Amino acid sequence: MSDFSPLILGIGGTARPNSSSERSVRVALAAAEKMGARTILIDGPHLARLPLYAPDRVERTDDEAALVEAARSCHGIIVATPGYHGSLSGPIKNALDLLEDTSRDARTYLDGCAFGAIVTAFGWMACGTTMVTLRSIAHALRAWPTPYGAALNASTPLFESDGSCIDSKVEGQLAIVAQQVVDFARWRHAGLSS
């Protein structure tokens, strides 16, 4: 394992505490920590406090500033969204819209960061269409979507009450996303350091 400990930002959740998307990003971040990464989580309660993004509003709340600063300092990102009506949720989209604040930074948006995508939905169709949308947003933010994205059908229970995965396959999917984000961050760091 490399000595470099990448910072991985996780964004996921809904207005409902302990939603499937929030739990899935927590499991993925825990896997990243086992691989030696440091993590920051922007969860459902944090997302619920973000005002609607307005490009001409320059003042930022503490919650908005924390999200933007985490994005500026991260080496990789994992985003977990529910699939609502075939696309990502409003709070997740709002959080990603806020990254427009980084458009004039030395590292524009998430340039050079791996972007792990996780979708939870009550059916496979919403998983697929939401995954495509999330990956398109990753490209627009100049990030590198990981080859593997976890699509989780939430029509059956996915998590225990303590947040652990019911199914080892689901846990494995989330670990793959984490592994690809952490590995990419380390490879990029090694390349830039040589």
Side-chain angles (χ1 to χ4, degrees):
M1 178 176 12
S2 166
D3 289 338
F4 173 63
S5 179
L7 179 62
I8 308 303
L9 170 60
I11 300 175
T14 67
R16 182 172 50 90
N18 298 312
S19 65
S20 295
S21 57
E22 184 177 313
R23 287 180 172 182
S24 65
V25 78
R26 285 182 186 278
V27 170
L29 290 178
E33 288 173 358
K34 287 179 184 173
M35 297 167 208
R38 298 168 293 132
T39 63
I40 297 174
L41 173 64
I42 303 293
D43 60 8
H46 190 134
L47 293 168
R49 293 189 303 267
L50 295 176
L52 188 62
Y53 174 71
D56 57 344
R57 185 174 54 80
V58 296
E59 302 83 23
R60 294 289 174 238
T61 66
D62 290 344
D63 291 311
E64 288 174 306
L67 170 59
V68 172
E69 185 51 41
R72 283 182 169 133
S73 58
C74 76
H75 302 102
I77 185 168
I78 299 172
V79 178
T81 183
Y84 290 162
H85 309 291
S87 191
L88 63 159
S89 71
I92 296 295
K93 179 67 166 73
N94 189 50
L96 294 173
D97 287 345
L98 186 58
L99 300 187
E100 186 62 25
D101 282 9
T102 66
S103 66
R104 290 180 174 80
D105 288 2
R107 182 188 81 183
T108 307
Y109 301 121
L110 296 169
D111 189 30
C113 288
F115 189 110
I118 301 168
V119 175
T120 61
F122 282 92
W124 292 117
M125 182 179 280
C127 283
T129 58
T130 305
M131 183 68 70
V132 169
T133 302
L134 194 53
R135 287 177 173 215
S136 294
I137 291 169
H139 283 291
L141 291 171
R142 301 186 189 181
W144 296 77
T146 58
Y148 187 82
L152 309 178
N153 189 336
S155 63
T156 59
L158 298 171
F159 300 96
E160 299 286 358
S161 59
D162 66 358
S164 61
C165 290
I166 288 174
D167 185 342
S168 62
K169 291 179 187 173
V170 169
E171 188 172 19
Q173 288 181 304
L174 298 172
I176 291 169
V177 171
Q179 183 75 58
Q180 290 184 352
V181 171
V182 171
D183 284 350
F184 185 93
R186 286 194 170 122
W187 295 332
R188 178 156 172 79
H189 176 76
L192 292 174
S193 299
S194 59

mmCIF file of all heavy atoms in Angstrom, residues 83-129:
data_model
loop_
_atom_site.group_PDB
_atom_site.id
_atom_site.type_symbol
_atom_site.label_atom_id
_atom_site.label_comp_id
_atom_site.label_asym_id
_atom_site.label_seq_id
_atom_site.Cartn_x
_atom_site.Cartn_y
_atom_site.Cartn_z
ATOM 1 N N GLY A 83 -32.508 7.029 -7.242
ATOM 2 C CA GLY A 83 -33.036 7.252 -8.575
ATOM 3 C C GLY A 83 -34.498 7.646 -8.463
ATOM 4 O O GLY A 83 -35.330 6.825 -8.098
ATOM 5 N N TYR A 84 -34.778 8.917 -8.698
ATOM 6 C CA TYR A 84 -36.158 9.414 -8.643
ATOM 7 C C TYR A 84 -36.623 9.715 -10.054
ATOM 8 O O TYR A 84 -36.034 10.544 -10.741
ATOM 9 C CB TYR A 84 -36.240 10.698 -7.819
ATOM 10 C CG TYR A 84 -36.019 10.545 -6.332
ATOM 11 C CD1 TYR A 84 -35.700 11.650 -5.568
ATOM 12 C CD2 TYR A 84 -36.137 9.318 -5.683
ATOM 13 C CE1 TYR A 84 -35.505 11.545 -4.198
ATOM 14 C CE2 TYR A 84 -35.939 9.202 -4.321
ATOM 15 C CZ TYR A 84 -35.632 10.317 -3.580
ATOM 16 O OH TYR A 84 -35.440 10.216 -2.229
ATOM 17 N N HIS A 85 -37.663 9.042 -10.496
ATOM 18 C CA HIS A 85 -38.254 9.292 -11.816
ATOM 19 C C HIS A 85 -37.201 9.232 -12.925
ATOM 20 O O HIS A 85 -37.191 10.036 -13.847
ATOM 21 C CB HIS A 85 -38.993 10.630 -11.840
ATOM 22 C CG HIS A 85 -39.953 10.786 -10.709
ATOM 23 N ND1 HIS A 85 -41.104 10.038 -10.609
ATOM 24 C CD2 HIS A 85 -39.901 11.554 -9.595
ATOM 25 C CE1 HIS A 85 -41.735 10.359 -9.493
ATOM 26 N NE2 HIS A 85 -41.026 11.266 -8.860
ATOM 27 N N GLY A 86 -36.284 8.287 -12.781
ATOM 28 C CA GLY A 86 -35.301 8.049 -13.828
ATOM 29 C C GLY A 86 -34.078 8.929 -13.778
ATOM 30 O O GLY A 86 -33.273 8.919 -14.713
ATOM 31 N N SER A 87 -33.899 9.690 -12.698
ATOM 32 C CA SER A 87 -32.726 10.560 -12.607
ATOM 33 C C SER A 87 -32.339 10.741 -11.147
ATOM 34 O O SER A 87 -32.964 10.174 -10.257
ATOM 35 C CB SER A 87 -33.027 11.920 -13.254
ATOM 36 O OG SER A 87 -31.837 12.666 -13.407
ATOM 37 N N LEU A 88 -31.276 11.534 -10.920
ATOM 38 C CA LEU A 88 -30.814 11.721 -9.557
ATOM 39 C C LEU A 88 -31.732 12.659 -8.789
ATOM 40 O O LEU A 88 -32.536 13.383 -9.370
ATOM 41 C CB LEU A 88 -29.366 12.211 -9.531
ATOM 42 C CG LEU A 88 -29.013 13.554 -10.151
ATOM 43 C CD1 LEU A 88 -27.692 14.030 -9.560
ATOM 44 C CD2 LEU A 88 -28.842 13.407 -11.647
ATOM 45 N N SER A 89 -31.595 12.651 -7.478
ATOM 46 C CA SER A 89 -32.456 13.462 -6.622
ATOM 47 C C SER A 89 -32.059 14.933 -6.687
ATOM 48 O O SER A 89 -30.913 15.280 -6.992
ATOM 49 C CB SER A 89 -32.379 12.967 -5.177
ATOM 50 O OG SER A 89 -31.124 13.288 -4.605
ATOM 51 N N GLY A 90 -33.005 15.795 -6.358
ATOM 52 C CA GLY A 90 -32.759 17.231 -6.328
ATOM 53 C C GLY A 90 -31.648 17.632 -5.377
ATOM 54 O O GLY A 90 -30.777 18.439 -5.740
ATOM 55 N N PRO A 91 -31.628 17.106 -4.123
ATOM 56 C CA PRO A 91 -30.550 17.504 -3.208
ATOM 57 C C PRO A 91 -29.150 17.127 -3.702
ATOM 58 O O PRO A 91 -28.198 17.888 -3.518
ATOM 59 C CB PRO A 91 -30.900 16.767 -1.913
ATOM 60 C CG PRO A 91 -32.379 16.606 -1.971
ATOM 61 C CD PRO A 91 -32.677 16.366 -3.429
ATOM 62 N N ILE A 92 -29.013 15.968 -4.353
ATOM 63 C CA ILE A 92 -27.697 15.579 -4.893
ATOM 64 C C ILE A 92 -27.329 16.509 -6.046
ATOM 65 O O ILE A 92 -26.201 17.009 -6.125
ATOM 66 C CB ILE A 92 -27.689 14.099 -5.331
ATOM 67 C CG1 ILE A 92 -27.908 13.168 -4.140
ATOM 68 C CG2 ILE A 92 -26.403 13.764 -6.067
ATOM 69 C CD1 ILE A 92 -26.812 13.170 -3.090
ATOM 70 N N LYS A 93 -28.263 16.766 -6.926
ATOM 71 C CA LYS A 93 -27.995 17.667 -8.057
ATOM 72 C C LYS A 93 -27.642 19.056 -7.535
ATOM 73 O O LYS A 93 -26.713 19.708 -8.036
ATOM 74 C CB LYS A 93 -29.208 17.731 -8.985
ATOM 75 C CG LYS A 93 -29.042 18.661 -10.185
ATOM 76 C CD LYS A 93 -27.987 18.174 -11.161
ATOM 77 C CE LYS A 93 -28.033 18.885 -12.498
ATOM 78 N NZ LYS A 93 -27.544 20.255 -12.473
ATOM 79 N N ASN A 94 -28.347 19.527 -6.523
ATOM 80 C CA ASN A 94 -28.073 20.836 -5.936
ATOM 81 C C ASN A 94 -26.652 20.896 -5.376
ATOM 82 O O ASN A 94 -25.934 21.882 -5.580
ATOM 83 C CB ASN A 94 -29.108 21.135 -4.841
ATOM 84 C CG ASN A 94 -29.029 22.551 -4.335
ATOM 85 O OD1 ASN A 94 -29.023 23.506 -5.097
ATOM 86 N ND2 ASN A 94 -28.961 22.687 -3.019
ATOM 87 N N ALA A 95 -26.235 19.844 -4.684
ATOM 88 C CA ALA A 95 -24.875 19.802 -4.141
ATOM 89 C C ALA A 95 -23.843 19.837 -5.263
ATOM 90 O O ALA A 95 -22.831 20.556 -5.173
ATOM 91 C CB ALA A 95 -24.691 18.549 -3.286
ATOM 92 N N LEU A 96 -24.086 19.078 -6.317
ATOM 93 C CA LEU A 96 -23.135 19.064 -7.434
ATOM 94 C C LEU A 96 -23.147 20.394 -8.180
ATOM 95 O O LEU A 96 -22.105 20.856 -8.655
ATOM 96 C CB LEU A 96 -23.445 17.896 -8.365
ATOM 97 C CG LEU A 96 -23.237 16.509 -7.744
ATOM 98 C CD1 LEU A 96 -23.727 15.418 -8.686
ATOM 99 C CD2 LEU A 96 -21.798 16.283 -7.342
ATOM 100 N N ASP A 97 -24.312 21.047 -8.272
ATOM 101 C CA ASP A 97 -24.374 22.376 -8.897
ATOM 102 C C ASP A 97 -23.509 23.374 -8.138
ATOM 103 O O ASP A 97 -22.893 24.255 -8.735
ATOM 104 C CB ASP A 97 -25.814 22.892 -8.938
ATOM 105 C CG ASP A 97 -26.673 22.187 -9.969
ATOM 106 O OD1 ASP A 97 -26.114 21.492 -10.849
ATOM 107 O OD2 ASP A 97 -27.905 22.329 -9.902
ATOM 108 N N LEU A 98 -23.443 23.245 -6.822
ATOM 109 C CA LEU A 98 -22.655 24.153 -5.992
ATOM 110 C C LEU A 98 -21.163 24.108 -6.338
ATOM 111 O O LEU A 98 -20.425 25.067 -6.104
ATOM 112 C CB LEU A 98 -22.876 23.819 -4.518
ATOM 113 C CG LEU A 98 -22.255 24.731 -3.479
ATOM 114 C CD1 LEU A 98 -22.739 26.177 -3.647
ATOM 115 C CD2 LEU A 98 -22.582 24.229 -2.084
ATOM 116 N N LEU A 99 -20.722 23.009 -6.937
ATOM 117 C CA LEU A 99 -19.312 22.897 -7.325
ATOM 118 C C LEU A 99 -18.941 23.880 -8.441
ATOM 119 O O LEU A 99 -17.767 24.024 -8.776
ATOM 120 C CB LEU A 99 -18.975 21.465 -7.725
ATOM 121 C CG LEU A 99 -19.187 20.424 -6.622
ATOM 122 C CD1 LEU A 99 -18.672 19.071 -7.058
ATOM 123 C CD2 LEU A 99 -18.553 20.858 -5.316
ATOM 124 N N GLU A 100 -19.929 24.588 -8.964
ATOM 125 C CA GLU A 100 -19.643 25.663 -9.912
ATOM 126 C C GLU A 100 -18.735 26.710 -9.266
ATOM 127 O O GLU A 100 -17.990 27.400 -9.961
ATOM 128 C CB GLU A 100 -20.947 26.300 -10.400
ATOM 129 C CG GLU A 100 -20.767 27.331 -11.489
ATOM 130 C CD GLU A 100 -20.154 26.777 -12.774
ATOM 131 O OE1 GLU A 100 -20.273 25.572 -13.056
ATOM 132 O OE2 GLU A 100 -19.549 27.570 -13.524
ATOM 133 N N ASP A 101 -18.759 26.788 -7.935
ATOM 134 C CA ASP A 101 -17.869 27.715 -7.225
ATOM 135 C C ASP A 101 -16.392 27.418 -7.501
ATOM 136 O O ASP A 101 -15.538 28.268 -7.271
ATOM 137 C CB ASP A 101 -18.106 27.646 -5.712
ATOM 138 C CG ASP A 101 -19.353 28.400 -5.266
ATOM 139 O OD1 ASP A 101 -20.143 28.851 -6.129
ATOM 140 O OD2 ASP A 101 -19.541 28.532 -4.035
ATOM 141 N N THR A 102 -16.081 26.227 -7.966
ATOM 142 C CA THR A 102 -14.696 25.846 -8.236
ATOM 143 C C THR A 102 -14.310 26.027 -9.705
ATOM 144 O O THR A 102 -13.219 25.639 -10.104
ATOM 145 C CB THR A 102 -14.455 24.378 -7.826
ATOM 146 O OG1 THR A 102 -15.236 23.520 -8.672
ATOM 147 C CG2 THR A 102 -14.822 24.138 -6.368
ATOM 148 N N SER A 103 -15.194 26.625 -10.485
ATOM 149 C CA SER A 103 -14.963 26.710 -11.935
ATOM 150 C C SER A 103 -13.750 27.546 -12.321
ATOM 151 O O SER A 103 -13.207 27.372 -13.407
ATOM 152 C CB SER A 103 -16.203 27.256 -12.648
ATOM 153 O OG SER A 103 -16.433 28.608 -12.275
ATOM 154 N N ARG A 104 -13.317 28.432 -11.442
ATOM 155 C CA ARG A 104 -12.157 29.279 -11.764
ATOM 156 C C ARG A 104 -10.952 28.962 -10.880
ATOM 157 O O ARG A 104 -9.979 29.716 -10.841
ATOM 158 C CB ARG A 104 -12.545 30.749 -11.646
ATOM 159 C CG ARG A 104 -13.493 31.174 -12.761
ATOM 160 C CD ARG A 104 -13.890 32.640 -12.659
ATOM 161 N NE ARG A 104 -14.678 33.048 -13.802
ATOM 162 C CZ ARG A 104 -15.978 32.803 -13.963
ATOM 163 N NH1 ARG A 104 -16.631 32.125 -13.041
ATOM 164 N NH2 ARG A 104 -16.624 33.230 -15.023
ATOM 165 N N ASP A 105 -11.028 27.834 -10.184
ATOM 166 C CA ASP A 105 -9.904 27.402 -9.344
ATOM 167 C C ASP A 105 -8.746 26.918 -10.221
ATOM 168 O O ASP A 105 -8.931 26.609 -11.403
ATOM 169 C CB ASP A 105 -10.318 26.246 -8.432
ATOM 170 C CG ASP A 105 -11.247 26.690 -7.306
ATOM 171 O OD1 ASP A 105 -11.605 27.888 -7.237
ATOM 172 O OD2 ASP A 105 -11.621 25.815 -6.500
ATOM 173 N N ALA A 106 -7.556 26.805 -9.624
ATOM 174 C CA ALA A 106 -6.412 26.235 -10.344
ATOM 175 C C ALA A 106 -6.749 24.818 -10.813
ATOM 176 O O ALA A 106 -6.412 24.431 -11.929
ATOM 177 C CB ALA A 106 -5.178 26.236 -9.452
ATOM 178 N N ARG A 107 -7.394 24.033 -9.950
ATOM 179 C CA ARG A 107 -7.944 22.736 -10.371
ATOM 180 C C ARG A 107 -9.429 22.968 -10.598
ATOM 181 O O ARG A 107 -10.216 23.051 -9.675
ATOM 182 C CB ARG A 107 -7.745 21.652 -9.312
ATOM 183 C CG ARG A 107 -8.278 20.296 -9.811
ATOM 184 C CD ARG A 107 -8.299 19.224 -8.766
ATOM 185 N NE ARG A 107 -9.475 19.357 -7.921
ATOM 186 C CZ ARG A 107 -9.721 18.581 -6.882
ATOM 187 N NH1 ARG A 107 -8.879 17.642 -6.521
ATOM 188 N NH2 ARG A 107 -10.792 18.757 -6.155
ATOM 189 N N THR A 108 -9.806 23.084 -11.842
ATOM 190 C CA THR A 108 -11.194 23.378 -12.183
ATOM 191 C C THR A 108 -12.094 22.198 -11.840
ATOM 192 O O THR A 108 -11.810 21.060 -12.197
ATOM 193 C CB THR A 108 -11.308 23.695 -13.687
ATOM 194 O OG1 THR A 108 -10.377 24.723 -13.993
ATOM 195 C CG2 THR A 108 -12.700 24.140 -14.055
ATOM 196 N N TYR A 109 -13.175 22.496 -11.138
ATOM 197 C CA TYR A 109 -14.155 21.487 -10.724
ATOM 198 C C TYR A 109 -13.452 20.312 -10.025
ATOM 199 O O TYR A 109 -12.742 20.517 -9.057
ATOM 200 C CB TYR A 109 -14.988 21.002 -11.913
ATOM 201 C CG TYR A 109 -15.759 22.081 -12.621
ATOM 202 C CD1 TYR A 109 -15.564 22.336 -13.979
ATOM 203 C CD2 TYR A 109 -16.708 22.854 -11.955
ATOM 204 C CE1 TYR A 109 -16.289 23.323 -14.647
ATOM 205 C CE2 TYR A 109 -17.417 23.847 -12.609
ATOM 206 C CZ TYR A 109 -17.215 24.076 -13.956
ATOM 207 O OH TYR A 109 -17.915 25.046 -14.608
ATOM 208 N N LEU A 110 -13.629 19.118 -10.559
ATOM 209 C CA LEU A 110 -13.021 17.901 -9.991
ATOM 210 C C LEU A 110 -11.998 17.316 -10.953
ATOM 211 O O LEU A 110 -11.806 16.103 -11.024
ATOM 212 C CB LEU A 110 -14.114 16.869 -9.682
ATOM 213 C CG LEU A 110 -15.123 17.274 -8.613
ATOM 214 C CD1 LEU A 110 -16.301 16.305 -8.588
ATOM 215 C CD2 LEU A 110 -14.461 17.359 -7.245
ATOM 216 N N ASP A 111 -11.335 18.188 -11.690
ATOM 217 C CA ASP A 111 -10.369 17.753 -12.694
ATOM 218 C C ASP A 111 -9.336 16.815 -12.066
ATOM 219 O O ASP A 111 -8.724 17.135 -11.049
ATOM 220 C CB ASP A 111 -9.672 18.968 -13.296
ATOM 221 C CG ASP A 111 -8.829 18.622 -14.493
ATOM 222 O OD1 ASP A 111 -9.162 17.655 -15.206
ATOM 223 O OD2 ASP A 111 -7.820 19.305 -14.716
ATOM 224 N N GLY A 112 -9.176 15.646 -12.669
ATOM 225 C CA GLY A 112 -8.188 14.687 -12.197
ATOM 226 C C GLY A 112 -8.644 13.805 -11.056
ATOM 227 O O GLY A 112 -7.858 13.010 -10.549
ATOM 228 N N CYS A 113 -9.893 13.929 -10.645
ATOM 229 C CA CYS A 113 -10.413 13.097 -9.554
ATOM 230 C C CYS A 113 -11.223 11.927 -10.105
ATOM 231 O O CYS A 113 -11.992 12.094 -11.053
ATOM 232 C CB CYS A 113 -11.350 13.905 -8.653
ATOM 233 S SG CYS A 113 -10.537 15.114 -7.620
ATOM 234 N N ALA A 114 -11.058 10.775 -9.491
ATOM 235 C CA ALA A 114 -11.938 9.655 -9.802
ATOM 236 C C ALA A 114 -13.298 9.941 -9.190
ATOM 237 O O ALA A 114 -13.402 10.528 -8.118
ATOM 238 C CB ALA A 114 -11.371 8.355 -9.253
ATOM 239 N N PHE A 115 -14.344 9.529 -9.886
ATOM 240 C CA PHE A 115 -15.724 9.775 -9.470
ATOM 241 C C PHE A 115 -16.429 8.433 -9.406
ATOM 242 O O PHE A 115 -16.721 7.825 -10.433
ATOM 243 C CB PHE A 115 -16.393 10.699 -10.495
ATOM 244 C CG PHE A 115 -17.754 11.218 -10.124
ATOM 245 C CD1 PHE A 115 -17.929 12.553 -9.820
ATOM 246 C CD2 PHE A 115 -18.881 10.394 -10.140
ATOM 247 C CE1 PHE A 115 -19.186 13.059 -9.514
ATOM 248 C CE2 PHE A 115 -20.132 10.887 -9.835
ATOM 249 C CZ PHE A 115 -20.291 12.223 -9.527
ATOM 250 N N GLY A 116 -16.661 7.951 -8.202
ATOM 251 C CA GLY A 116 -17.386 6.697 -8.013
ATOM 252 C C GLY A 116 -18.873 6.966 -7.930
ATOM 253 O O GLY A 116 -19.304 7.842 -7.171
ATOM 254 N N ALA A 117 -19.650 6.233 -8.694
ATOM 255 C CA ALA A 117 -21.101 6.451 -8.762
ATOM 256 C C ALA A 117 -21.850 5.278 -8.141
ATOM 257 O O ALA A 117 -21.565 4.121 -8.440
ATOM 258 C CB ALA A 117 -21.535 6.643 -10.211
ATOM 259 N N ILE A 118 -22.814 5.619 -7.276
ATOM 260 C CA ILE A 118 -23.679 4.634 -6.647
ATOM 261 C C ILE A 118 -25.116 5.112 -6.819
ATOM 262 O O ILE A 118 -25.422 6.280 -6.551
ATOM 263 C CB ILE A 118 -23.378 4.490 -5.141
ATOM 264 C CG1 ILE A 118 -21.927 4.071 -4.908
ATOM 265 C CG2 ILE A 118 -24.344 3.508 -4.488
ATOM 266 C CD1 ILE A 118 -21.474 4.185 -3.458
ATOM 267 N N VAL A 119 -25.978 4.217 -7.264
ATOM 268 C CA VAL A 119 -27.392 4.546 -7.427
ATOM 269 C C VAL A 119 -28.221 3.525 -6.670
ATOM 270 O O VAL A 119 -27.992 2.318 -6.786
ATOM 271 C CB VAL A 119 -27.802 4.546 -8.920
ATOM 272 C CG1 VAL A 119 -29.302 4.773 -9.061
ATOM 273 C CG2 VAL A 119 -27.022 5.595 -9.691
ATOM 274 N N THR A 120 -29.168 4.013 -5.883
ATOM 275 C CA THR A 120 -30.151 3.146 -5.238
ATOM 276 C C THR A 120 -31.520 3.538 -5.783
ATOM 277 O O THR A 120 -31.846 4.725 -5.851
ATOM 278 C CB THR A 120 -30.136 3.307 -3.707
ATOM 279 O OG1 THR A 120 -30.472 4.649 -3.364
ATOM 280 C CG2 THR A 120 -28.779 2.961 -3.129
ATOM 281 N N ALA A 121 -32.287 2.563 -6.205
ATOM 282 C CA ALA A 121 -33.608 2.857 -6.758
ATOM 283 C C ALA A 121 -34.521 1.649 -6.578
ATOM 284 O O ALA A 121 -34.059 0.518 -6.423
ATOM 285 C CB ALA A 121 -33.496 3.211 -8.243
ATOM 286 N N PHE A 122 -35.820 1.902 -6.612
ATOM 287 C CA PHE A 122 -36.805 0.838 -6.500
ATOM 288 C C PHE A 122 -37.079 0.244 -7.875
ATOM 289 O O PHE A 122 -38.186 0.293 -8.381
ATOM 290 C CB PHE A 122 -38.094 1.357 -5.851
ATOM 291 C CG PHE A 122 -37.973 1.491 -4.371
ATOM 292 C CD1 PHE A 122 -37.571 2.685 -3.806
ATOM 293 C CD2 PHE A 122 -38.239 0.413 -3.546
ATOM 294 C CE1 PHE A 122 -37.444 2.816 -2.444
ATOM 295 C CE2 PHE A 122 -38.109 0.530 -2.170
ATOM 296 C CZ PHE A 122 -37.713 1.732 -1.624
ATOM 297 N N GLY A 123 -36.047 -0.294 -8.495
ATOM 298 C CA GLY A 123 -36.177 -0.934 -9.801
ATOM 299 C C GLY A 123 -34.941 -0.699 -10.641
ATOM 300 O O GLY A 123 -34.237 0.303 -10.479
ATOM 301 N N TRP A 124 -34.682 -1.645 -11.533
ATOM 302 C CA TRP A 124 -33.459 -1.591 -12.333
ATOM 303 C C TRP A 124 -33.469 -0.496 -13.377
ATOM 304 O O TRP A 124 -32.420 0.070 -13.700
ATOM 305 C CB TRP A 124 -33.206 -2.956 -12.983
ATOM 306 C CG TRP A 124 -32.862 -3.994 -11.964
ATOM 307 C CD1 TRP A 124 -33.578 -5.127 -11.661
ATOM 308 C CD2 TRP A 124 -31.740 -3.999 -11.082
ATOM 309 N NE1 TRP A 124 -32.969 -5.816 -10.648
ATOM 310 C CE2 TRP A 124 -31.838 -5.159 -10.266
ATOM 311 C CE3 TRP A 124 -30.666 -3.143 -10.887
ATOM 312 C CZ2 TRP A 124 -30.900 -5.477 -9.295
ATOM 313 C CZ3 TRP A 124 -29.730 -3.454 -9.916
ATOM 314 C CH2 TRP A 124 -29.854 -4.619 -9.136
ATOM 315 N N MET A 125 -34.650 -0.150 -13.929
ATOM 316 C CA MET A 125 -34.675 0.878 -14.966
ATOM 317 C C MET A 125 -34.179 2.212 -14.414
ATOM 318 O O MET A 125 -33.335 2.873 -15.026
ATOM 319 C CB MET A 125 -36.073 1.052 -15.544
ATOM 320 C CG MET A 125 -36.110 2.096 -16.657
ATOM 321 S SD MET A 125 -37.745 2.299 -17.373
ATOM 322 C CE MET A 125 -37.771 0.888 -18.451
ATOM 323 N N ALA A 126 -34.679 2.596 -13.247
ATOM 324 C CA ALA A 126 -34.232 3.862 -12.649
ATOM 325 C C ALA A 126 -32.751 3.807 -12.289
ATOM 326 O O ALA A 126 -32.054 4.822 -12.376
ATOM 327 C CB ALA A 126 -35.068 4.197 -11.420
ATOM 328 N N CYS A 127 -32.261 2.630 -11.909
ATOM 329 C CA CYS A 127 -30.822 2.502 -11.632
ATOM 330 C C CYS A 127 -30.009 2.831 -12.869
ATOM 331 O O CYS A 127 -29.034 3.594 -12.804
ATOM 332 C CB CYS A 127 -30.497 1.076 -11.165
ATOM 333 S SG CYS A 127 -30.939 0.696 -9.466
ATOM 334 N N GLY A 128 -30.408 2.266 -13.999
ATOM 335 C CA GLY A 128 -29.646 2.459 -15.236
ATOM 336 C C GLY A 128 -29.661 3.886 -15.739
ATOM 337 O O GLY A 128 -28.602 4.460 -16.046
ATOM 338 N N THR A 129 -30.829 4.492 -15.814
ATOM 339 C CA THR A 129 -30.905 5.856 -16.337
ATOM 340 C C THR A 129 -30.236 6.860 -15.398
ATOM 341 O O THR A 129 -29.586 7.801 -15.849
ATOM 342 C CB THR A 129 -32.367 6.273 -16.593
ATOM 343 O OG1 THR A 129 -33.113 6.156 -15.369
ATOM 344 C CG2 THR A 129 -33.010 5.428 -17.679
#
